[in-house]
Amino acid sequence: MKLQNLNQRHAFTLVELLVVIAIIGVLVGLLLPAVQAAREAARRMQCSNNLKQLGLATHNFADTHKEDLPMLGEAQEGGHWSAFVMPYCEQTNLYESLTFGSTNWAAGTALSNADITSSNPRDRQVAACETMISVMRCPSSVAPEAVFDASVYSPPWFVAARVPANYLAVVTGIQPNDWKPSWGWGRGNIATWGSGQTTKHHAELDGMIQTRHPDRARISQGGMGGATGFRDVTDGLSNTLMFGEAEPDPELASIASTAEEANSGRKDHWAIGGDDFDNWEGTDWSEMGGSTAVQINYPKPVTIARADASPEWGAYEVSFSSQHPSGAQFCFGDGSVRFLSETVDMAIFSALGTRSGGEAVQQP
């Protein structure tokens, strides 16, 4: 009898090796979507927590300011609502570095070393705009962490490493753009939108977060609140949106580096402040506000040339959007956070954006 060599090993054949590789590939293919879904669920939860914190900060702001909500922004000067609630978002040091009023939120040249501890208040403003504030950024966002921003007018004003934001105040449920009201100044006015509807100033609109009238729009004329209060939300806090997600233009890095034409806009969203809101005429509130008169994830116009009078571009700039699949998250007036589908009925979505429209809203 021939004895088997106990030291002899049986190697894998090429066919067996290919079968094992194929099995591993199938398992990875099955596992990867589950891992990606789990990661997105975690990012969506963090995004929800951000909105929850902004809602809580706003309620705390109102408790301190006689039930007044924060202004959308300090028109004629440039501060944004997000700056006003920073003390309630564990950002007291950043807030205390700011000088509200007639202090620029950008510089005539791009500063390479702006610092919130600088003795120059303008440099502190710029540094605040260059600060990453986690509560203002959705983890699913694909926006760059900082962009070179050259803003309006010629020569332009600069923030060398400005940080995009992902959360906007709800300014209106009816107006689908941030065009100038009929009594504005500068370029020729765009006084109407659709069916002869009159364009309104951001102090005249119907959302929860507004500015005060131009003759008292500055903080020195009445503080950071006072435009609207919880008392004005007669539709009910659980039926009215306060904040929502918005993803800046996917080409923001290249768009922001080119100065805007005077009085025009772009889908750019920023926290803390900006020099494009330091006018009284009512334009460019899309930097910190959005409209529920526009479909969620409204597509960027690709077959229509960029034009200041284009309804499609105007709607795109004020639209809410996100990188979450099929919708975006919103914070209601009562502080609750809910995900709204991009297919939500537009009549309902519009009604959720108004504070006192008297609509009978069935929650989506």
Side-chain angles (χ1 to χ4, degrees):
M1 174 185 285
K2 187 176 179 181
L3 296 176
Q4 182 178 6
N5 185 352
L6 298 178
N7 293 325
Q8 183 179 358
R9 295 185 178 180
H10 179 68
F12 284 108
T13 66
L14 179 59
V15 172
E16 290 172 329
L17 186 59
L18 291 175
V19 169
V20 170
I21 293 173
I23 292 173
I24 293 173
V26 170
L27 292 176
V28 170
L30 293 173
L31 182 62
L32 191 58
V35 171
Q36 291 174 332
R39 288 177 175 173
E40 169 55 23
R43 291 192 294 263
R44 183 165 151 178
M45 178 64 71
Q46 181 58 53
C47 175
S48 175
N49 289 339
N50 289 346
L51 281 164
K52 188 77 174 178
Q53 187 173 348
L54 290 172
L56 180 60
T58 302
H59 276 260
N60 288 334
F61 176 99
D63 287 343
T64 306
H65 293 80
K66 302 178 181 179
E67 296 304 307
D68 289 337
L69 291 162
M71 284 197 297
L72 174 67
E74 187 182 16
Q76 305 178 58
E77 301 293 4
H80 294 179
W81 64 266
S82 52
F84 307 156
V85 302
M86 282 297 104
Y88 311 99
C89 294
E90 301 180 350
Q91 291 289 339
T92 301
N93 288 343
L94 184 145
Y95 173 80
E96 291 180 347
S97 73
L98 302 175
T99 304
F100 296 105
S102 298
T103 300
N104 289 329
W105 293 87
T109 58
L111 304 178
S112 60
N113 56 351
D115 193 319
I116 63 170
T117 64
S118 171
S119 60
N120 186 326
R122 178 211 59 189
D123 290 10
R124 297 197 301 270
Q125 309 283 75
V126 171
C129 294
E130 294 181 338
T131 300
M132 171 63 72
I133 304 169
S134 59
V135 74
M136 291 301 297
R137 184 176 177 92
C138 171
S140 291
S141 176
V142 297
E145 291 190 357
V147 299
F148 184 91
D149 180 35
S151 59
V152 78
Y153 301 127
S154 181
W157 292 77
F158 300 96
V159 176
R162 193 167 187 184
V163 177
N166 286 115
Y167 303 112
L168 303 180
V170 178
V171 181
T172 177
I174 62 170
Q175 185 164 300
N177 52 56
D178 62 351
W179 288 350
K180 294 173 61 173
S182 58
W183 44 270
W185 62 275
R187 61 160 171 76
N189 295 313
I190 303 175
T192 60
W193 46 269
S195 303
Q197 298 292 323
T198 301
T199 301
K200 296 181 182 296
H201 184 275
H202 43 71
E204 303 172 312
L205 283 166
D206 53 305
M208 279 191 69
I209 309 296
Q210 305 290 295
T211 54
R212 293 193 296 267
H213 194 271
D215 62 4
R216 52 190 182 90
R218 292 182 169 92
I219 289 174
S220 61
Q221 297 170 309
M224 298 176 182
T228 53
F230 286 121
R231 60 189 171 277
D232 300 308
V233 188
T234 57
D235 286 348
L237 296 180
S238 62
N239 289 322
T240 309
L241 299 173
M242 186 161 57
F243 303 118
E245 285 189 86
E247 183 76 357
D249 192 297
E251 300 176 80
L252 180 63
S254 59
I255 293 172
S257 64
T258 304
E260 300 170 85
E261 296 178 1
N263 296 309
S264 69
R266 56 196 178 193
K267 191 167 176 58
D268 53 349
H269 310 310
W270 316 108
I272 307 302
D275 66 304
D276 286 355
F277 200 63
D278 60 358
N279 59 68
W280 56 266
E281 62 204 17
T283 79
D284 222 5
W285 49 257
S286 62
E287 288 194 338
M288 78 294 271
S291 169
T292 66
V294 182
Q295 168 193 353
I296 299 172
N297 290 332
Y298 186 88
K300 179 179 180 179
V302 292
T303 60
I304 300 169
R306 175 70 180 90
D308 206 24
S310 164
E312 294 81 6
W313 280 96
Y316 174 62
E317 288 170 12
V318 300
S319 61
F320 289 98
S321 55
S322 85
Q323 289 296 315
H324 306 305
S326 305
Q329 300 201 91
F330 291 83
C331 178
F332 284 72
D334 61 0
S336 63
V337 177
R338 280 167 261 178
F339 182 85
L340 297 184
S341 169
E342 63 188 21
T343 61
V344 62
D345 181 272
M346 283 307 300
I348 294 175
F349 190 47
S350 171
L352 290 173
T354 65
R355 65 180 182 271
S356 57
E359 308 95 338
V361 177
Q362 182 178 0
Q363 288 287 350

